[in-house]
């Protein structure tokens, strides 16, 4: 079984809709991250969480919100989706004191 | 600002050697990572350098020069499965990863 899972894997939604992307991990890591990836650009950090009570904005948090429901679960929400949020979204985890990040398989989101 | 530069695309021949360069200007430095990403898939860890010098791991080696803000990933005995994007990322003073846009490596028979 995969250590970091994301659901859904693909999603098409319309402008203005609310959508939630979910991430679960069985690695026991405290730290979790949400990134988006656009063609030709590097991974951009949206939000990160060092534990259930510690959530921080990344470089591109506008238009997004997150929830850390448990150590193993970190959800990303788009309150009102817009077309320029069409991208590949990755969840990642890392262990305390370690900086290597482990990525989920990604969610391909299309906003029409 | 923070900046990581890598070539956008490189082409090499199966069985050959290729070097992918990465230069960086970041607020602080706590290490440099290389990840491999096949199209449509998740990035996977290749190497981590925090001290100057060359780290060898099988067919892949990674080099770091902190004074020059420079790293390279060296891939030997190229195989078709090495066709992928290679991402350089720097751990900055806040221990956040700053990512380059990646280098797409195309391997030809």
């Amino acid at each position: 079984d995969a250590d970091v899972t994301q659901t859904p894997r693909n999603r098409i939604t319309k402008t203005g809709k609310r959508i939630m992307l979910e991430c679960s991990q069985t690695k026991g890591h405290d730290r979790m991250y949400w990134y988006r990836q656009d063609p030709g650009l590097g991974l951009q950090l949206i939000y990160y969480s060092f534990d259930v009570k510690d959530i921080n904005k990344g470089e591109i948090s506008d238009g997004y919100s997150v929830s850390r429901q448990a150590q193993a679960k970190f959800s990303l929400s788009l309150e009102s989706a817009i077309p320029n949020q069409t991208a590949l979204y990755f969840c990642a985890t890392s262990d305390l004191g370690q900086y290597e990040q482990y990525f989920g398989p990604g969610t391909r989101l299309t906003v029409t | 600002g923070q900046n990581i530069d890598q070539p956008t695309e490189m082409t090499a021949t199966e069985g050959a050697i290729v070097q992918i360069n990465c230069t960086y200007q970041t607020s602080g430095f706590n290490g440099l990572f290389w990840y491999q990403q096949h199209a449509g898939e998740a990035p996977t860890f290749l190497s981590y350098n925090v001290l100057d010098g060359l780290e060898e791991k099988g067919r892949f080696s990674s080099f770091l020069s902190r004074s020059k803000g420079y790293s390279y990933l060296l891939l030997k005995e190229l195989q078709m499965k090495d066709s992928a994007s290679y991402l350089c990322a720097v751990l900055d003073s806040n221990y956040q990863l700053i990512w380059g846009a990646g280098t797409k490596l195309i391997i030809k028979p």
Side-chain angles (χ1 to χ4, degrees):
Chain A
D1 288 341
D3 294 321
V4 185
T5 58
Q6 292 183 232
T7 55
R9 294 294 312 279
N10 289 282
R11 180 73 182 267
I12 300 173
T13 192
K14 294 185 183 297
T15 297
K17 293 292 188 181
R18 184 180 189 275
I19 183 169
M20 179 181 288
L21 310 182
E22 299 189 358
C23 176
S24 293
Q25 52 113 349
T26 58
K27 300 187 75 67
H29 289 171
D30 287 319
R31 301 182 173 198
M32 298 186 74
Y33 309 81
W34 274 105
Y35 290 96
R36 67 176 280 173
Q37 187 175 41
D38 297 276
L41 298 179
L43 289 162
Q44 295 175 280
L45 184 62
I46 306 172
Y47 272 94
Y48 61 102
S49 170
F50 285 170
D51 65 39
V52 175
K53 296 180 180 179
D54 180 25
I55 293 178
N56 305 279
K57 292 182 178 180
E59 57 187 307
I60 57 161
S61 59
D62 287 349
Y64 301 95
S65 63
V66 290
S67 173
R68 184 84 184 264
Q69 301 96 321
Q71 187 207 34
K73 295 184 181 298
F74 193 34
S75 300
L76 176 72
S77 293
L78 287 68
E79 298 300 326
S80 179
I82 56 177
N84 78 358
Q85 291 177 312
T86 293
L88 187 55
Y89 289 84
F90 287 105
C91 173
T93 74
S94 67
D95 203 0
L96 183 64
Q98 305 292 323
Y99 303 104
E100 177 186 343
Q101 294 185 9
Y102 298 84
F103 286 80
T107 295
R108 187 167 296 280
L109 177 66
T110 303
V111 184
T112 61
Chain B
Q2 311 212 83
N3 195 49
I4 297 181
D5 286 320
Q6 309 177 230
T8 302
E9 186 174 297
M10 299 181 69
T11 302
T13 304
E14 190 176 15
I17 299 173
V18 70
Q19 177 175 309
I20 302 173
N21 296 325
C22 172
T23 58
Y24 62 88
Q25 292 175 304
T26 56
S27 57
F29 179 85
N30 284 298
L32 185 143
F33 288 83
W34 284 96
Y35 279 75
Q36 181 189 60
Q37 185 179 24
H38 286 100
E41 297 183 9
T44 55
F45 170 79
L46 287 177
S47 67
Y48 172 60
N49 294 66
V50 64
L51 299 176
D52 290 351
L54 186 69
E55 297 268 351
E56 297 187 75
K57 192 184 294 185
R59 294 189 299 115
F60 292 9
S61 303
S62 56
F63 172 83
L64 175 67
S65 169
R66 288 172 297 171
S67 63
K68 295 182 179 178
Y70 169 69
S71 173
Y72 66 75
L73 181 69
L74 191 72
L75 291 74
K76 303 177 184 176
E77 302 170 12
L78 285 169
Q79 302 175 9
M80 297 303 293
K81 67 178 182 179
D82 297 331
S83 292
S85 289
Y86 292 86
L87 313 180
C88 172
V90 171
L91 199 62
D92 73 5
S93 57
N94 294 318
Y95 291 92
Q96 294 300 325
L97 275 178
I98 309 300
W99 296 83
T103 298
K104 183 178 180 180
L105 178 63
I106 299 168
I107 310 297
K108 295 187 174 180

